[in-house]
């Protein structure tokens, strides 16, 4: 009698625990698929975007929005917009964004922030936009990458980009 009760107790505890563990392992093994959003900005003009939250070396939160804009005539551009909370940082819009992989290879992306502000002489200090198009496909998602955002008030701000996020950004090139 005690043996049957012990088996039932073990099954009652062990089976749900194994099931929960298998779900957690399954979640860890399967890659997260890209979450590309599609928007129609104007007739025939599409925008495809990837939005992620990144933290800098001081723990400040940044919104990283990589997007591809396809205009009605078929031209396309790919940009990266970085947004920090107001008052946290002043981005230096006169210098490019540096992208550095763990092997020491460096790329730069030009600041094109003047395109997003109605008063291009006074851009928002916590927002910057960079042209990724010329370099995006040169970035290898298998090699860790960090962004160095130029700042007016401190040394560069460092943002680490995961391989999955870089792969999501690269997938923008396939959107039409």
């Amino acid at each position: 009698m005690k043996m049957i009760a012990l088996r039932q107790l073990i099954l009652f505890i062990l089976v749900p625990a194994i099931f929960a563990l298998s779900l957690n392992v399954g979640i860890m093994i399967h890659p997260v698929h890209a979450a590309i959003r599609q928007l129609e900005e104007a007739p025939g003009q599409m925008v495809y975007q990837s939005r992620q939250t990144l933290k800098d070396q001081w723990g400040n939160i940044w919104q990283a929005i990589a997007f591809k804009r396809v205009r009605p005539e078929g031209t396309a551009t790919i940009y990266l917009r970085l947004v920090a909370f107001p008052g946290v940082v002043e981005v230096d819009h006169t210098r490019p964004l540096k992208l550095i992989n763990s092997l020491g290879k460096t790329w730069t992306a030009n600041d094109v922030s003047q395109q997003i502000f109605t008063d291009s002489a006074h851009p928002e200090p916590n927002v910057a936009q960079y042209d990724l198009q010329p370099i995006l496909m040169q970035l290898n998602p298998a090699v860790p990458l960090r962004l160095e955002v130029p700042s007016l008030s401190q040394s560069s701000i460092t943002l680490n980009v995961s391989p999955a996020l870089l792969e999501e950004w690269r997938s923008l090139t396939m959107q039409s």
Side-chain angles (χ1 to χ4, degrees), residues 91-96 111 150 152:
V91 175
D92 183 350
H93 293 286
T94 65
R95 296 189 293 158
D111 187 298
L152 291 173

Side-chain angles (χ1 to χ4, degrees), residues 56 60-64 81-91 125-128 157:
D56 65 22
N60 297 315
I61 304 249
W62 290 72
Q63 183 74 227
R81 186 173 297 168
L82 298 171
V83 183
F85 283 107
V88 170
V89 68
E90 290 184 74
V91 175
N126 61 310
V127 179
I157 293 109

Side-chain angles (χ1 to χ4, degrees), residues 16-58:
I18 291 172
F19 180 73
L21 183 61
S22 68
L23 283 178
N24 286 336
V25 170
I27 290 169
M28 289 187 292
I29 292 173
H30 298 294
V32 176
H33 295 286
I36 303 297
R37 298 176 188 185
Q38 179 179 331
L39 309 159
E40 186 171 14
E41 284 187 315
Q45 181 168 305
M46 298 301 295
V47 172
Y48 304 90
Q49 63 179 226
S50 159
R51 291 178 174 256
Q52 286 290 331
T53 301
L54 301 176
K55 283 189 180 179
D56 65 22
Q57 70 267 38
W58 295 289

Side-chain angles (χ1 to χ4, degrees), residues 16-158:
I18 291 172
F19 180 73
L21 183 61
S22 68
L23 283 178
N24 286 336
V25 170
I27 290 169
M28 289 187 292
I29 292 173
H30 298 294
V32 176
H33 295 286
I36 303 297
R37 298 176 188 185
Q38 179 179 331
L39 309 159
E40 186 171 14
E41 284 187 315
Q45 181 168 305
M46 298 301 295
V47 172
Y48 304 90
Q49 63 179 226
S50 159
R51 291 178 174 256
Q52 286 290 331
T53 301
L54 301 176
K55 283 189 180 179
D56 65 22
Q57 70 267 38
W58 295 289
N60 297 315
I61 304 249
W62 290 72
Q63 183 74 227
I65 307 160
F67 63 97
K68 178 179 183 178
R69 178 172 284 124
V70 181
R71 301 197 186 282
E73 71 277 358
T75 61
T77 53
I78 299 177
Y79 296 126
L80 175 62
R81 186 173 297 168
L82 298 171
V83 183
F85 283 107
V88 170
V89 68
E90 290 184 74
V91 175
D92 183 350
H93 293 286
T94 65
R95 296 189 293 158
L97 174 72
K98 286 185 183 177
L99 299 91
I100 304 166
N101 73 13
S102 63
L103 302 175
K105 176 96 171 127
T106 301
W107 295 266
T108 57
N110 292 327
D111 187 298
V112 292
S113 300
Q114 73 279 1
Q115 297 176 4
I116 60 175
F117 299 113
T118 54
D119 183 0
S120 61
H122 299 94
E124 293 295 322
N126 61 310
V127 179
Q129 185 165 292
Y130 301 97
D131 185 1
L132 280 187
Q133 184 124 8
I135 61 171
L136 185 57
M137 294 312 289
Q138 297 174 39
L139 305 173
N140 183 350
V143 181
L145 181 71
R146 76 176 188 271
L147 308 178
E148 288 189 2
V149 183
S151 171
L152 291 173
S153 56
Q154 54 205 11
S155 60
S156 294
I157 293 109
T158 302

